[in-house]
Amino acid sequence: MCSSDLTVTGNTATTGGGGIVTTGGSTLVLAGATAVVANTSGGGIWNEGTVRMGGRSVIAENTRNGSGGGVYNATSATLRMAGQSRIMGNSATTGGGGGVYASPSSSVVMTGSAAITGNAAPEGGGLRLLGATLAMDRSARVSGNTATNGMGGGILASEGAITVDGDARITGNRAELSDGGGIATNGPVTLAGAAVIAGNLAKNGGGVVVGEEGTITMSGGSLIRRNTATVMAGGLYAAMEGATMGVTCGTNVRANTAPLYADCYVYPPGG
């Protein structure tokens, strides 16, 4: 199904998909200025197939009484964002993923100038990934999202891989009561090209928190800079041993702020 300049608004569902539900094997294309806006209880889209967003399409101001205020990606589903598409201003009242919740084996791909911005949830304000993957490149953005109570202002991930490449940015996200303003994960994170994580805020790990089973790899001109932690590790908090590759505190992790360990903290020491 392809929609262009269509508005889906003001609908309510008691479970998932306040605006739209896609079933397994189906593809929904949101093109032009299509908007899925202000749907309640079930969120914007419940996706069991593939959703492709392009043009200036927007999923905005939807709410879900659960996870995935904007989009709920079911197991093995795919969400692809391109052009100037936006997932913005959505909220999940419980659980995670104000913008997007991604279930095991599902994937989120952001390219062009696509953005997930201004969303809120108790954890994973922008995205909550549970065994799912996120790939960002070109000028994609995850910005201005808030975890109101838990970890991951921008992104909270369990096990799934996160790749940030090109000129992609994770900026201005907040987890004031917990850890990982930009990213909190126990999976692999790869920063490459000119990717930047900047201007995020949390108690610990203002930019990135990597848990005991996680890894972080930095290459090219990628940077973690100008993030803030109110307790420790303004840039990177890495709670594991031997799993930081290409990370040089004070060089590609720099100009961050915290009362303790302004740029990096790796535990145990020597990791």
Side-chain angles (χ1 to χ4, degrees):
M1 175 182 175
C2 179
S3 65
S4 182
D5 302 328
L6 174 71
T7 298
V8 179
T9 187
N11 301 286
T12 300
T14 57
T15 55
I20 298 172
V21 174
T22 68
T23 56
S26 65
T27 298
L28 172 66
V29 179
L30 306 181
T34 294
V36 181
V37 181
N39 300 285
T40 60
S41 298
I45 297 177
W46 179 284
N47 176 33
E48 297 180 0
T50 298
V51 172
R52 297 179 181 270
M53 299 180 67
R56 300 181 308 283
S57 61
V58 62
I59 299 172
E61 300 177 11
N62 302 283
T63 60
R64 181 159 193 251
N65 298 331
S67 297
V71 177
Y72 187 104
N73 245 18
T75 300
S76 300
T78 299
L79 170 65
R80 296 183 179 273
M81 301 176 65
Q84 299 178 45
S85 60
R86 299 286 185 269
I87 296 178
M88 57 189 291
N90 303 283
S91 61
T93 57
T94 61
V100 177
Y101 180 92
S103 302
S105 301
S106 69
S107 62
V108 180
V109 179
M110 301 174 66
T111 189
S113 298
I116 295 176
T117 182
N119 304 283
E123 61 179 21
L127 300 98
R128 176 67 168 101
L129 311 175
L130 183 62
T133 60
L134 169 66
M136 301 172 61
D137 67 6
R138 298 192 181 179
S139 298
R141 299 286 188 269
V142 173
S143 64
N145 303 285
T146 302
T148 57
N149 190 50
M151 301 174 69
I155 302 162
L156 175 59
S158 303
E159 300 178 1
I162 298 170
T163 303
V164 188
D165 202 347
D167 191 40
R169 299 282 190 270
I170 298 174
T171 60
N173 303 285
R174 303 172 74 89
E176 294 184 57
L177 300 181
S178 192
D179 305 333
I183 299 173
T185 183
N186 65 359
V189 177
T190 301
L191 307 180
V196 173
I197 297 178
N200 303 286
L201 172 70
K203 286 180 66 175
N204 300 295
V208 181
V209 165
V210 181
E212 293 182 359
E213 299 179 1
T215 63
I216 182 167
T217 303
M218 297 181 69
S219 63
S222 61
L223 293 170
I224 299 175
R225 67 182 183 189
R226 297 178 182 171
N227 302 282
T228 300
T230 57
V231 177
M232 64 186 297
L236 169 66
Y237 186 111
M240 72 291 189
E241 183 175 4
T244 57
M245 291 162 278
V247 176
T248 305
C249 296
T251 303
N252 55 7
V253 184
R254 65 172 188 254
N256 301 283
T257 303
L260 296 171
Y261 304 98
D263 284 321
C264 301
Y265 179 78
V266 179
Y267 181 84

